């Protein structure tokens, strides 16, 4: 008997992949037991799902056509659809995403230059990195909660919350891009005897500009998606209207309509951003890389 | 034929001296320097060539001269007659892969050479003065790229990119140009043009040029003095007409 266990032990000893697979499965089982997950609960889920479906279908698209008299800030357009919850909500979400991306970029770029080890002294890089990762610790929803307490309900809290998160996240992407620039332009600048901020401003940032722009567009995409979540705690955007229908009225058909609108807009924005970003993605064997103005104005030959 | 210099021989207040190594050992580990006891003086208006096998430390020597690395022992001085402030911008480095900013235009790259000489407020506002703009245009004209000012540098050929790097060094108005494999794999014709450009720079503006080349035959044609790295010592080839000795098997 003990011989068999010993044999099995030797069998596993030379198979590291199988061994780690077994450990992983054991860990999954232990975790499930610790969380007291009971798969029998699924049986209730199916009946709940039928109730939810029957309430949510068909989606009530009056959220696009009807005027929302209770919108905040007050809507002044003549047309009813322009003041409908869906349109106001999605516009607010886009506006929050836009502002927080711009503000986040303005704040994070200098921080990223300070955090890049090839541009700043090690002690400053360490401190700045700690600040950036501290900003990333909290998800945007928690930031929104904090700012709703600080400045009250509404889109302003949303912009502040998304900006905080954007600085932390974009800053990390940016300092990694800045650290990836080739060494030689920076050495030319150092041999000239330029101060550090000029090396960053005139050599490193232009050299990394493609990556920086593509990251900014990605961050805008990301902020549009997350801008809907922060509305749940009252920080503006389409999530605010979802929450309005959800918690007091339980109008699931309207919430579903809002989710569909949200989905369509996010897909469109993702596609546009992907198209633009593809032009900036660096590739080693691709010799021609466009510059920013060429995306807007076509090059004359 | 090692260069014989005693410490007392060289008068550092001489304003002709552009680069001075005294008893410097160069490398990364103190116990194991790549090059030992470098004694070298480069004067203004001189073109000095450095040859040697690849991996022997030519680039490291050049980076030490540029102040990017400090010598393990001994001293390296650039433009010894200047105060610290005036030394700013006195070295122009042209690295092996040129160190141009890839996404930017020829004009932008050349303009960057003017940064050390620009006033602080101009650099903060990114507004170059008229003189700087004129100097940039002149340098671009001098290297024959006037029609490519707004072209992105990565659309240019290798030879044209080298000219951009040289134009950037010209705008900087340095006292010493350090060029690493500046001629690279250029064809003979283009290499000759660039050599002419460097030669006229050295003569007209009294700039010292320290140039690394892997091709000893070519280096001999345009250098005033030729140095060779052999084993871990720097050797001056006294007579340029003397036959270049091929590296021996036991050299390193």
């Amino acid at each position: 008997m003990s011989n068999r266990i010993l044999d099995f032990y030797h069998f596993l000893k030379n198979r590291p992949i199988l061994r780690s697979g077994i450990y992983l499965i054991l860990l999954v089982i232990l975790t499930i037991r610790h969380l007291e997950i009971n798969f029998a609960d699924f049986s209730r889920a199916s009946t709940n799902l039928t109730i939810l479906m029957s309430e949510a279908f068909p989606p009530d698209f009056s959220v696009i056509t009807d005027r929302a008299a209770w919108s905040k800030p007050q809507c002044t357009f003549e047309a009813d659809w322009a003041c409908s919850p869906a349109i106001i909500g999605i516009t607010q979400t886009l506006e929050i995403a836009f502002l927080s991306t711009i503000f986040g970029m303005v704040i994070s770029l200098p921080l990223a230059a300070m955090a890049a080890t090839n541009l700043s002294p090690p002690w400053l890089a360490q401190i700045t990195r700690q600040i950036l990762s501290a900003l990333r610790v909290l998800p945007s929803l928690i930031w929104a909660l904090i700012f709703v307490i600080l400045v009250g309900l509404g889109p302003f809290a949303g912009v502040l919350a998304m900006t905080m998160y954007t600085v932390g996240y974009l800053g990390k992407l940016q300092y990694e891009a800045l650290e990836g620039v080739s060494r030689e332009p920076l050495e030319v600048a150092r041999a000239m005897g330029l101060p550090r901020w000029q090396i960053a401003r005139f050599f490193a940032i232009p050299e990394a500009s493609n990556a920086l722009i593509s990251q900014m567009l990605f961050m805008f995409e990301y902020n549009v998606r997350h801008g809907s979540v922060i509305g749940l705690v009252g920080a503006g955007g389409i999530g605010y209207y979802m929450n309005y229908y959800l918690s007091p009225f339980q109008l699931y058909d309207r919430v579903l309509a809002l989710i569909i609108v949200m989905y369509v807009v996010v897909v469109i924005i993702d596609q546009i951003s992907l198209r633009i970003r593809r032009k900036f993605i660096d590739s080693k064997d691709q010799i021609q890389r466009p510059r920013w103005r060429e995306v807007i104005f076509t090059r004359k030959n | 034929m090692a260069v014989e210099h005693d410490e007392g021989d060289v008068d550092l207040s001489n304003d002709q001296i552009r680069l001075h190594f005294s008893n410097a050992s160069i490398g990364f580990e103190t116990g194991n320097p790549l090059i030992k006891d470098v004694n070298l003086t480069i004067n203004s208006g001189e073109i000095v060539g450095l040859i040697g096998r690849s991996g022997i430390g030519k680039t490291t020597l050049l980076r030490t001269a540029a102040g990017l690395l400090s010598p393990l022992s001994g001293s390296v001085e650039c433009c010894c007659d200047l105060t610290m402030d005036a030394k700013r911008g006195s070295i122009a480095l042209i690295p092996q892969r040129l160190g141009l900013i890839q996404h930017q235009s020829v004009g932008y790259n050349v303009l960057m050479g003017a940064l050390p000489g620009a006033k602080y407020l101009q650099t903060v506002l990114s507004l170059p003065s008229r003189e700087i703009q004129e100097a940039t245009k002149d340098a671009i004209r001098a290297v024959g790229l006037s029609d490519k000012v707004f072209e992105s540098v990565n659309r240019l050929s290798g030879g044209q990119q080298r000219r951009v790097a040289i134009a950037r060094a010209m705008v900087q108005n340095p006292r010493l140009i350090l060029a690493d494999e500046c001629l690279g794999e250029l064809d003979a014709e283009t290499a000759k043009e660039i050599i002419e450009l460097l030669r006229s720079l050295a003569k007209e503006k009294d700039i010292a040029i320290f140039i690394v080349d892997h091709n000893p035959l070519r280096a001999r044609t345009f250098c005033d003095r030729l140095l060779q790295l052999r084993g871990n010592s720097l050797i001056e080839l006294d007579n340029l007409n003397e036959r270049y000795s091929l590296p021996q098997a036991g050299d390193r």
Side-chain angles (χ1 to χ4, degrees):
Chain A
M1 186 60 198
S2 65
N3 221 2
R4 272 201 183 165
I5 294 171
L6 213 62
D7 281 352
F8 187 62
Y9 173 75
H10 284 298
F11 173 79
L12 279 186
K13 203 176 175 187
N14 299 322
R15 289 168 180 75
I17 294 173
L18 183 65
R19 200 172 62 221
S20 37
I22 288 173
Y23 290 154
L24 200 62
I25 289 169
L26 280 176
L27 198 64
V28 168
I29 292 170
L30 280 175
T31 318
I32 286 173
R33 304 227 18 188
H34 189 243
L35 290 177
E36 296 174 9
I37 290 174
N38 187 0
F39 287 99
D41 289 349
F42 261 136
S43 59
R44 246 190 303 154
S46 65
T47 50
N48 283 347
L49 187 67
T50 347
I51 298 169
L52 186 66
M53 283 302 191
S54 64
E55 296 227 355
F57 276 98
D60 181 357
F61 280 104
S62 67
V63 289
I64 307 180
T65 53
D66 290 358
R67 177 177 283 267
W70 36 267
S71 70
K72 214 174 71 162
Q74 190 68 43
C75 180
T76 54
F77 287 112
E78 283 288 315
D80 279 345
W81 65 268
C83 285
S84 63
I87 302 297
I88 295 177
I90 205 76
T91 318
Q92 250 179 32
T93 299
L94 291 178
E95 284 167 345
I96 290 171
F98 174 72
L99 280 184
S100 54
T101 310
I102 299 292
F103 292 161
M105 181 84 178
V106 169
I107 301 171
S108 73
L109 200 54
L111 285 176
M114 283 194 259
T117 46
N118 54 350
L119 297 175
S120 63
W123 61 269
L124 183 61
Q126 265 315 316
I127 292 173
T128 322
R129 275 166 193 228
Q130 296 307 325
I131 293 171
L132 289 177
S133 61
L135 290 176
R136 276 197 313 274
V137 166
L138 297 183
S140 45
L141 193 63
I142 308 293
W143 279 118
L145 212 59
I146 293 170
F147 280 109
V148 164
I149 295 167
L150 292 183
V151 301
L153 293 173
F156 183 46
V159 171
L160 289 175
M162 300 298 290
T163 303
M164 293 306 266
Y165 192 72
T166 304
V167 170
Y169 197 69
L170 199 55
K172 184 181 166 63
L173 292 177
Q174 283 173 341
Y175 79 67
E176 280 172 0
L178 288 175
E179 283 179 352
V181 303
S182 50
R183 201 185 59 179
E184 294 202 332
L186 306 185
E187 290 198 337
V188 169
R190 275 171 60 201
M192 282 182 194
L194 297 181
R196 287 176 193 278
W197 74 266
Q198 287 187 2
I199 299 179
R201 161 70 184 82
F202 295 107
F203 287 81
I205 292 176
E207 180 79 4
S209 57
N210 274 1
L212 297 180
I213 289 167
S214 125
Q215 286 161 1
M216 191 177 77
L217 288 166
F218 169 77
M219 205 62 215
F220 175 67
E221 241 177 87
Y222 180 91
N223 282 349
V224 171
R225 271 179 269 131
H226 276 238
S228 56
V229 178
I230 57 165
L232 294 180
V233 294
I238 199 168
Y240 175 75
Y241 298 93
M242 284 184 194
N243 200 31
Y244 177 86
Y245 286 128
L246 265 182
S247 52
F249 306 118
Q250 301 196 334
L251 296 169
Y252 293 116
D253 47 354
R254 296 200 178 178
V255 173
L256 184 63
L258 285 179
I259 289 172
I260 292 170
V261 170
M262 175 75 208
Y263 173 78
V264 170
V265 171
V266 166
V267 166
I268 292 170
I269 291 205
D270 276 5
Q271 285 303 312
I272 295 171
S273 151
L274 194 68
R275 291 269 163 85
I276 303 175
R277 272 201 291 141
R278 203 171 281 159
K279 297 199 171 201
F280 290 105
I281 291 168
D282 280 357
S283 122
K284 281 278 180 287
D285 38 41
Q286 185 190 338
I287 302 157
Q288 298 205 344
R289 287 180 286 196
R291 285 182 293 137
W292 179 223
R293 66 156 196 253
E294 287 166 16
V295 178
I296 305 169
F297 314 105
T298 43
R299 253 164 56 76
K300 57 174 200 294
N301 275 317
Chain B
M1 289 175 286
V3 196
E4 296 288 333
H5 273 311
D6 285 331
E7 190 57 4
D9 263 355
V10 185
D11 177 17
L12 287 182
S13 61
N14 182 348
D15 65 353
Q16 293 298 300
I17 294 175
R18 290 294 181 253
L19 183 66
H20 179 67
F21 282 71
S22 77
N23 293 325
S25 59
I26 285 154
F28 300 99
E29 299 160 53
T30 319
N32 183 19
L34 280 170
I35 311 159
K36 281 183 215 156
D37 295 329
V38 181
N39 284 301
L40 169 67
T41 307
I42 297 179
N43 295 315
S44 64
E46 248 185 340
I47 301 183
V48 179
L50 174 65
I51 55 178
R53 289 171 26 169
S54 57
I56 205 166
K58 300 194 293 286
T59 301
T60 311
L61 182 69
L62 210 69
R63 292 179 71 215
T64 311
L68 299 170
L69 286 173
S70 29
L72 300 174
S73 64
S75 75
V76 176
E77 284 276 325
C78 164
C79 311
C80 318
D81 57 318
L82 293 181
T83 58
M84 280 310 286
D85 271 354
K87 272 183 190 175
R88 197 167 120 101
S90 58
I91 300 177
L93 175 69
I94 304 176
Q96 199 161 1
R97 288 191 299 278
L98 304 173
L100 297 174
I101 299 159
Q102 289 302 314
H103 314 289
Q104 298 294 334
S105 63
V106 171
Y108 181 91
N109 270 285
V110 175
L111 188 62
M112 288 306 102
L115 272 177
K119 292 207 176 63
Y120 196 75
L121 194 63
Q122 286 171 13
T123 62
V124 171
L125 301 175
S126 307
L127 286 173
S129 66
R130 192 159 293 277
E131 300 93 78
I132 287 176
Q133 289 177 19
E134 287 302 320
T136 307
K137 279 180 198 156
D138 287 346
I140 295 174
R141 208 173 296 130
V143 296
L145 289 173
S146 307
D147 54 332
K148 307 252 189 228
V149 179
F150 297 110
E151 196 81 19
S152 186
V153 288
N154 44 346
R155 292 186 215 274
L156 301 181
S157 68
Q160 287 170 329
Q161 291 191 2
R162 261 156 237 275
R163 287 155 192 251
V164 176
I166 291 171
R168 176 171 66 186
M170 285 165 72
V171 169
Q172 200 183 325
N173 209 357
R175 285 152 177 266
L176 172 69
I177 294 180
L178 301 167
D180 194 357
E181 300 271 353
C182 185
L183 304 171
E185 287 80 40
L186 292 180
D187 57 285
E189 200 70 19
T190 320
K192 205 175 158 197
E193 286 173 20
I194 287 179
I195 289 165
E196 288 306 317
L197 204 60
L198 288 176
R199 190 180 277 290
S200 63
L201 259 184
K203 293 290 165 279
E204 284 165 23
K205 298 197 175 171
D206 221 22
I207 299 171
I209 299 179
F210 188 28
I211 183 166
V212 169
D213 200 348
H214 64 264
N215 186 341
L217 295 174
R218 184 169 64 193
R220 190 181 297 193
T221 60
F222 65 88
C223 291
D224 298 326
R225 280 158 65 202
L226 202 53
L227 307 169
Q228 190 188 358
L229 267 181
R230 206 184 294 173
N232 43 20
S233 55
L234 186 69
I235 290 166
E236 177 142 11
L237 301 179
D238 277 343
N239 183 354
L240 287 188
N241 297 321
E242 177 192 337
R243 186 162 156 61
Y244 166 70
S245 57
L246 291 166
Q248 303 297 307
D251 271 357
R252 276 215 79 184

